[in-house]
């Protein structure tokens, strides 16, 4: 086989705001996304996190969750990788299309945001595998940099395996905004009844790079995609850009290794997830008020009064 790169969203969760009655929002989501038309009737399923009510589709691979006691948590739409693929593929067979640009436009229109989005990039038949990458990381022939070019220390990398073989590793903390998994997809898909066992048997190597974006990182994705007026091609490029600009695999000279350079080229200039634009919520307003009236702002004002503009500037230069 020739070298190939595939990119997709592996799983995601979306939060919808609720004005009054959560279940009314749930019914609108089911109707708008044609979930019953595509996947059949819903069933009661176990909710996740702090929600106390949930319905599910496709054996619980898709869940819609809400709180019966509060609207502040919103309504959560949860797709596993399997559920997401079933909704889109079965819908396509029924001539009900909900591709990513259309889905993103819908979410933006509803003022929804991602709370988690996993970007999966599969690299097939490149002349290296996870074991080789692990060996080079251990020998520091390959380094991992974060989004601002700092070397990720070895204690941020956790390796795992089976049958005395390294099959993957992670970078960072699961609770952070960004978490990277790198693993041998060929081993996973070579198991009996795996959905892509034929592909796993024909390729020589199959490595997955999977970026898990949560919290503010996930929340900033929809505004960024809407701003860039995506189509399906640009959407794929943006996903790769989110991954390869959050982490970089480089050699000891801090030059990108060949696979990372190929992925960068595949992104076609797409950049990392931008910072979430700040909004004036009540907490931020109270902090600004404190700064200006009782906090550091008052100190700066007093120094300026006592020592003049030169003294104030000297003080600021000393502090910062």
């Amino acid at each position: 086989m020739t070298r190939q790169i595939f990119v997709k969203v592996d799983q995601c969760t979306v939060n919808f705001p609720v004005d009054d009655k959560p279940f009314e929002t749930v019914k609108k989501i089911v109707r708008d996304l044609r979930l019953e038309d595509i996947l059949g009737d819903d069933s009661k399923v176990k909710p996740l996190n702090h929600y106390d009510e949930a319905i599910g589709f496709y054996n619980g691979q898709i869940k819609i969750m809400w709180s019966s006691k509060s609207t502040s948590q919103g309504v959560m739409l949860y797709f596993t990788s399997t559920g997401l693929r079933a909704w889109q593929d079965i819908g396509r067979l029924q001539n009900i299309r909900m591709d990513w640009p259309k889905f993103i436009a819908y979410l933006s229109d509803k003022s929804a945001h991602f709370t988690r989005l996993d970007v999966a990039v599969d690299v097939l038949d490149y002349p290296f595998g996870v074991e080789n990458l692990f060996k080079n990381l251990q020998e520091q022939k390959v380094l991992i940099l974060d989004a601002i070019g700092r070397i990720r220390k070895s204690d941020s990398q956790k390796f795992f395996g089976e049958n005395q073989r390294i099959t993957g590793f992670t970078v960072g903390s699961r609770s952070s905004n960004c978490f990277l998994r790198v693993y041998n997809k060929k081993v996973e898909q070579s198991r009996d009844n795996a959905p892509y066992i034929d592909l796993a048997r024909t390729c020589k190597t199959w490595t997955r790079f999977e970026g898990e974006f949560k919290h503010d990182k996930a929340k900033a994705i929809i505004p960024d995609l809407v701003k860039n007026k995506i189509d399906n091609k640009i959407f794929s490029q943006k996903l790769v850009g989110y991954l390869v600009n959050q982490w970089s695999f480089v050699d000891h000279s801090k030059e990108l290794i060949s696979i990372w350079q190929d992925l960068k080229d595949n992104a076609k200039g797409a950049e990392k997830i931008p910072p979430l634009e700040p909004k004036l919520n009540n907490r931020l307003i109270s902090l600004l008020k404190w700064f200006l009236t009782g906090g550091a702002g008052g100190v700066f004002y007093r120094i300026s009064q006592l020592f003049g503009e030169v003294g104030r500037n000297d003080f600021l230069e000393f502090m910062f």
Side-chain angles (χ1 to χ4, degrees), residues 198-215:
D198 291 336
L199 179 58
R201 286 173 174 171
T202 56
C203 66
K204 292 181 180 179
T205 62
W206 182 355
T207 303
R208 170 164 288 190
F209 297 92
E210 190 170 292
E212 183 179 305
F213 299 102
K214 299 191 293 294
H215 313 309

Side-chain angles (χ1 to χ4, degrees), residues 73-175:
Q73 290 178 258
V75 170
M76 187 70 72
L77 172 63
Y78 165 75
F79 284 103
T80 66
S81 177
T82 300
L84 185 58
R85 190 171 67 247
W87 173 60
Q88 291 181 320
D89 291 351
I90 297 172
R92 196 174 296 114
L93 291 173
Q94 299 176 9
N95 203 30
I96 302 173
R97 293 186 174 271
M98 185 62 82
D99 60 10
W100 278 103
K102 185 177 179 182
F103 186 39
I104 294 297
Y106 168 74
L107 297 179
S108 177
D109 183 62
K110 299 300 179 184
S111 299
H113 64 268
F114 288 116
T115 61
R116 173 175 171 176
L117 185 133
D118 292 7
V119 175
V121 176
D122 289 330
V123 177
L124 280 71
D125 283 315
Y126 271 73
F128 77 92
V130 169
E131 289 181 274
N132 178 263
L133 197 53
F134 165 73
K135 182 174 182 292
N136 282 311
L137 283 168
Q138 293 294 97
E139 296 174 356
Q140 294 192 326
K141 293 179 180 178
V142 171
L143 305 171
I144 302 174
L145 309 182
D146 66 13
I148 59 174
R150 297 174 301 188
I151 297 174
R152 295 304 305 256
K153 296 179 180 179
S154 57
D155 59 7
S156 72
Q157 302 162 24
K158 309 295 182 185
F159 294 87
F160 55 88
E162 58 183 61
N163 299 323
Q164 297 184 330
R165 289 179 58 194
I166 292 293
T167 57
F169 59 92
T170 63
V171 181
S173 166
R174 286 296 300 269
S175 62

Side-chain angles (χ1 to χ4, degrees), residues 23-273:
F23 193 63
E24 290 302 313
T25 301
V26 172
K27 290 192 290 186
K28 288 177 184 177
I29 294 169
V30 171
R31 182 195 65 218
D32 293 345
L33 300 184
R34 308 283 298 274
L35 290 170
E36 288 184 337
D37 295 334
I38 296 170
L39 301 170
D41 293 339
D42 65 82
S43 59
K44 195 169 182 64
V45 294
K46 184 179 180 180
L48 304 173
N49 301 328
H50 302 292
Y51 296 97
D52 59 9
E53 296 284 350
I55 60 172
F57 297 87
Y58 206 69
N59 296 321
Q61 299 296 322
I62 300 171
K63 294 183 179 183
I64 305 178
M65 298 168 282
W66 68 97
S67 171
S68 61
K69 302 170 185 175
S70 171
T71 61
S72 61
Q73 290 178 258
V75 170
M76 187 70 72
L77 172 63
Y78 165 75
F79 284 103
T80 66
S81 177
T82 300
L84 185 58
R85 190 171 67 247
W87 173 60
Q88 291 181 320
D89 291 351
I90 297 172
R92 196 174 296 114
L93 291 173
Q94 299 176 9
N95 203 30
I96 302 173
R97 293 186 174 271
M98 185 62 82
D99 60 10
W100 278 103
K102 185 177 179 182
F103 186 39
I104 294 297
Y106 168 74
L107 297 179
S108 177
D109 183 62
K110 299 300 179 184
S111 299
H113 64 268
F114 288 116
T115 61
R116 173 175 171 176
L117 185 133
D118 292 7
V119 175
V121 176
D122 289 330
V123 177
L124 280 71
D125 283 315
Y126 271 73
F128 77 92
V130 169
E131 289 181 274
N132 178 263
L133 197 53
F134 165 73
K135 182 174 182 292
N136 282 311
L137 283 168
Q138 293 294 97
E139 296 174 356
Q140 294 192 326
K141 293 179 180 178
V142 171
L143 305 171
I144 302 174
L145 309 182
D146 66 13
I148 59 174
R150 297 174 301 188
I151 297 174
R152 295 304 305 256
K153 296 179 180 179
S154 57
D155 59 7
S156 72
Q157 302 162 24
K158 309 295 182 185
F159 294 87
F160 55 88
E162 58 183 61
N163 299 323
Q164 297 184 330
R165 289 179 58 194
I166 292 293
T167 57
F169 59 92
T170 63
V171 181
S173 166
R174 286 296 300 269
S175 62
S176 66
N177 285 356
C178 307
F179 178 69
L180 179 66
R181 282 182 294 271
V182 182
Y183 60 96
N184 190 331
K185 192 74 174 174
K186 179 179 171 69
V187 169
E188 179 195 89
Q189 292 298 316
S190 294
R191 300 185 180 111
D192 292 340
N193 301 319
Y196 300 107
I197 189 170
D198 291 336
L199 179 58
R201 286 173 174 171
T202 56
C203 66
K204 292 181 180 179
T205 62
W206 182 355
T207 303
R208 170 164 288 190
F209 297 92
E210 190 170 292
E212 183 179 305
F213 299 102
K214 299 191 293 294
H215 313 309
D216 283 354
K217 284 288 184 183
K219 199 170 183 178
I221 288 174
I222 290 175
D224 182 53
L225 295 175
V226 170
K227 179 182 176 181
N228 283 276
K229 299 178 181 179
I230 60 166
D231 56 22
N232 283 309
K233 184 177 181 181
I234 293 174
F235 178 70
S236 293
Q237 293 167 356
K238 292 291 290 181
L239 293 180
V240 179
Y242 290 161
L243 182 82
V244 299
N245 290 298
Q246 183 61 46
W247 300 275
S248 296
F249 285 72
V250 300
D251 60 22
H252 59 84
S253 301
K254 292 195 176 181
E255 296 291 330
L256 295 176
I257 64 173
S258 60
I259 175 56
W260 220 251
Q261 184 61 61
D262 285 356
L263 291 177
K264 275 267 194 181
D265 294 342
N266 191 272
K268 303 292 183 183
E271 298 179 350
K272 64 183 179 181
I273 299 172

